[in-house]
Amino acid sequence: MTLLSNPRTRRRRLGIATAAAGLLAALITAHPAVATPDPGDSPAAEKRVPESTRQDVREAVESGEIPAQDEIVHSANIEHLTNIPKDVLPGTNSDLAFQGKYAFAGNYDGFRIFDISDPKAPKTVSQVLCPGSQNDISVSGNLLFLSTDSSRSDSSCNSTTQPVTEKSSWEGMKVFDISDKRNPKYVAAVETACGSHTHTLVPERRNVYIYVSSYSPNAAYPDCQPPHDGISVIKVPRNAPEKAAVVGFPVLFPGEGPDGGGNPGAPTNPGVSKTTGCHDITVLPSKDLAAGACMGDGILFSIEDPEHPKVIDRVQDNVNFAFWHSATFNQKANKVVFTDELGGGGAATCNAAVGPNRGADGIYDIVGKGDHRKLVFRSYFKIPRHQGDTENCVAHNGSLIPVKGKDLMVQAWYQGGVSVWDFTDSSNPKEIAYFERGPLSTERLVTAGAWSAYYYNGHIYSNDMAKGFDVLKLDDHRTDPARWVRLSELNVQTQPDYFD
């Protein structure tokens, strides 16, 4: 292990690998004991790169510009406590949720529950085989929720891949009872238009509302017809989750034409995704606010009436943002960090050729009051460490680190690793800590790296798509006060009021 006190200085101009569109697809298994991939939902193929690129990466490793293959490097204020490799679920690791002493880790083959009572030695409590990309995961009370965004033969955990053009195909939300963490029980399924790429909980006392984000309709898809200019809203009664059902489809981008009123994308806005739904939504229930990252648009909306969200403001960045991916409020709810997933998470975009403003975070201040609030752009943030051209790297999922009076965030960057950064000054964000591995391969562009990196009850937890579950300890006077903030539950897309 190499311990670094300062970010590496990269002087060579590393090239840019060919961008790959879309996120990874799923690995499908038939039985936990004999888990084997189903070619219908296999991960994106490894991408060949030219010999000149391979040589460039080898030289970057030899000169110390980037870590060696699989080498771990980190700033002096981060300690890598442990890594738990994949076990019976060989698929791509995805998102994380937390409750009490448990961490819930999504995987394209299902999900895994860890006991994190001792962060240095997490223990596997159970692993549930239930294929369906990307198995975005969240928990509330005794319920666990999984998103299915791949066309399946049915809603069961024994389903197989099936063409999306077939009417009988199923995509949507699955609900599990996790009152017994060692034996989760599948209790409900709700089909939603265009499936569920991600979802966001709006929990209430008696019910849990789910905002389902999905996109990319097509006239040839019976259950995913254009225009798809809104989100599905599911209502789940806590005492009768089997009665979960869609209660509405609020239109967030009203407009004329077959695609609604969102960003038209190319050719009007070259290099920008056309808005045909949302990728991810973050809610701040204590303020009745939500922020949506919706392909070609970023939106701010009110959730005072959770079944009927109301858009307050909408912004676009047709110069540097290719795909609005996710959103994070600061604690005072006067800022939103939006991420741009340039290249769909499968491309090498953390290099000098792409530059500091694309594939980055965009920091927006929220100004004004009530329904007159506006999103005002302030700056971009991107990790200052260039990655090799066989490393997929772009801004991805992160969370706040709760320190009063400061805006601090930890964030995953795929093979760019985990970054801790300060955006207290919206116009001058800066990285204060990091952890990363060297490229998974120096010969091919292999999609891997940290999908999620979240701060929970004193530690950073990261789900690496290929390497497994990582636990990090941050020791820095700027973040130390967060250790005293303890939560009983955390779904990052349902942001808590940390100091209430």
Side-chain angles (χ1 to χ4, degrees):
M1 176 183 293
T2 303
L3 186 67
L4 301 182
S5 299
N6 299 302
R8 299 183 301 279
T9 301
R10 308 283 177 80
R11 294 185 175 86
R12 294 168 65 244
R13 183 179 178 85
L14 298 176
I16 177 170
T18 303
L23 292 174
L24 289 180
L27 284 177
I28 306 304
T29 61
H31 190 281
V34 288
T36 56
D38 181 326
D41 263 341
S42 60
E46 297 180 6
K47 304 163 190 69
R48 285 186 169 273
V49 295
E51 173 56 32
S52 59
T53 298
R54 296 196 291 271
Q55 181 61 30
D56 193 56
V57 172
R58 288 193 290 266
E59 291 177 1
V61 169
E62 292 170 2
S63 68
E65 286 189 80
I66 65 174
Q69 186 171 348
D70 283 339
E71 179 188 8
I72 290 177
V73 297
H74 54 83
S75 54
N77 52 358
I78 276 187
E79 179 183 358
H80 185 212
L81 295 184
T82 191
N83 169 265
I84 309 296
K86 296 178 187 179
D87 193 13
V88 299
L89 302 176
T92 299
N93 281 335
S94 58
D95 214 357
L96 294 168
F98 304 89
Q99 186 181 84
K101 65 178 184 178
Y102 299 103
F104 303 82
N107 179 287
Y108 278 36
D109 284 332
F111 63 93
R112 187 174 182 179
I113 303 178
F114 292 100
D115 182 334
I116 54 173
S117 300
D118 180 359
K120 293 182 179 179
K123 298 178 180 178
T124 298
V125 177
S126 59
Q127 301 186 67
V128 175
L129 180 71
C130 197
S133 69
Q134 53 188 11
N135 276 340
D136 190 52
I137 192 168
S138 59
V139 295
S140 183
N142 288 329
L143 300 177
L144 179 147
F145 306 90
L146 282 183
S147 285
T148 299
D149 194 34
S150 60
S151 185
R152 313 296 302 171
S153 57
D154 55 55
S155 63
S156 76
C157 286
N158 297 316
S159 66
T160 57
T161 58
Q162 184 167 290
V164 69
T165 52
E166 293 188 21
K167 176 61 179 173
S168 63
S169 295
W170 185 92
E171 299 180 61
M173 290 298 308
K174 295 170 182 171
V175 184
F176 291 78
D177 183 325
I178 54 168
S179 51
D180 180 356
K181 303 295 188 296
R182 294 187 178 278
N183 186 30
K185 296 180 180 179
Y186 186 12
V187 296
V190 181
E191 187 170 16
T192 54
C194 300
S196 175
H197 193 70
T198 67
H199 69 270
T200 303
L201 303 187
V202 185
E204 295 189 338
R205 184 176 178 182
R206 294 183 178 180
N207 305 298
V208 179
Y209 287 96
I210 308 174
Y211 289 166
V212 177
S213 296
S214 54
Y215 52 93
S216 295
N218 189 300
Y221 302 162
D223 298 318
C224 186
Q225 293 284 299
H228 186 71
D229 47 12
I231 57 174
S232 296
V233 179
I234 296 174
K235 182 178 180 180
V236 185
R238 290 189 185 275
N239 293 332
E242 68 278 2
K243 295 181 179 179
V246 174
V247 294
F249 186 85
V251 174
L252 303 178
F253 302 97
E256 301 296 328
D259 299 313
N263 195 317
T268 303
N269 297 314
V272 177
S273 295
K274 178 169 68 174
T275 298
T276 58
C278 290
H279 179 277
D280 211 340
I281 291 170
T282 293
V283 298
L284 191 57
S286 63
K287 300 291 194 296
D288 287 330
L289 277 179
C294 303
M295 303 182 71
D297 294 86
I299 59 174
L300 181 71
F301 55 103
S302 167
I303 58 168
E304 188 173 358
D305 179 353
E307 290 191 26
H308 303 93
K310 180 176 66 175
V311 175
I312 297 172
D313 193 28
R314 168 181 156 199
V315 290
Q316 296 178 355
D317 180 346
N318 295 319
V319 176
N320 287 315
F321 261 48
F323 188 93
W324 295 67
H325 175 275
S326 53
T328 303
F329 288 99
N330 70 334
Q331 184 57 43
K332 291 183 179 179
N334 60 7
K335 299 176 187 177
V336 180
V337 174
F338 288 104
T339 67
D340 171 28
E341 195 183 41
L342 176 68
T349 69
C350 295
N351 50 34
V354 175
N357 296 337
R358 301 179 65 224
D361 297 313
I363 304 166
Y364 287 75
D365 284 352
I366 302 174
V367 299
K369 296 182 179 180
D371 290 350
H372 300 289
R373 284 172 284 192
K374 298 291 183 183
L375 292 164
V376 179
F377 174 77
R378 295 303 185 202
S379 67
Y380 298 106
F381 170 77
K382 193 170 183 179
I383 56 174
R385 294 157 285 107
H386 291 159
Q387 306 298 306
D389 282 350
T390 58
E391 295 181 276
N392 60 302
C393 175
V394 74
H396 213 239
N397 293 356
S399 77
L400 292 184
I401 298 178
V403 175
K404 280 189 176 181
K406 297 288 185 181
D407 295 326
L408 304 172
M409 187 171 174
V410 59
Q411 187 175 6
W413 288 77
Y414 289 126
Q415 288 196 68
V418 174
S419 174
V420 179
W421 59 290
D422 184 334
F423 63 104
T424 307
D425 180 350
S426 301
S427 299
N428 187 32
K430 56 185 178 181
E431 184 177 76
I432 62 174
Y434 70 91
F435 165 90
E436 69 166 287
R437 291 180 170 90
L440 195 65
S441 170
T442 58
E443 299 295 315
R444 301 172 183 269
L445 200 161
V446 182
T447 306
W451 178 292
S452 301
Y454 298 146
Y455 187 92
Y456 177 70
N457 291 354
H459 291 83
I460 293 170
Y461 298 90
S462 176
N463 215 15
D464 187 291
M465 290 188 283
K467 292 294 184 180
F469 184 69
D470 287 305
V471 185
L472 309 175
K473 183 178 180 181
L474 184 61
D475 186 7
D476 190 289
H477 70 277
R478 293 163 290 192
T479 59
D480 285 348
R483 296 178 183 177
W484 302 104
V485 178
R486 313 301 283 187
L487 300 177
S488 59
E489 192 171 272
L490 177 64
N491 301 293
V492 168
Q493 285 73 34
T494 305
Q495 276 191 227
D497 185 336
Y498 289 95
F499 305 111
D500 184 5

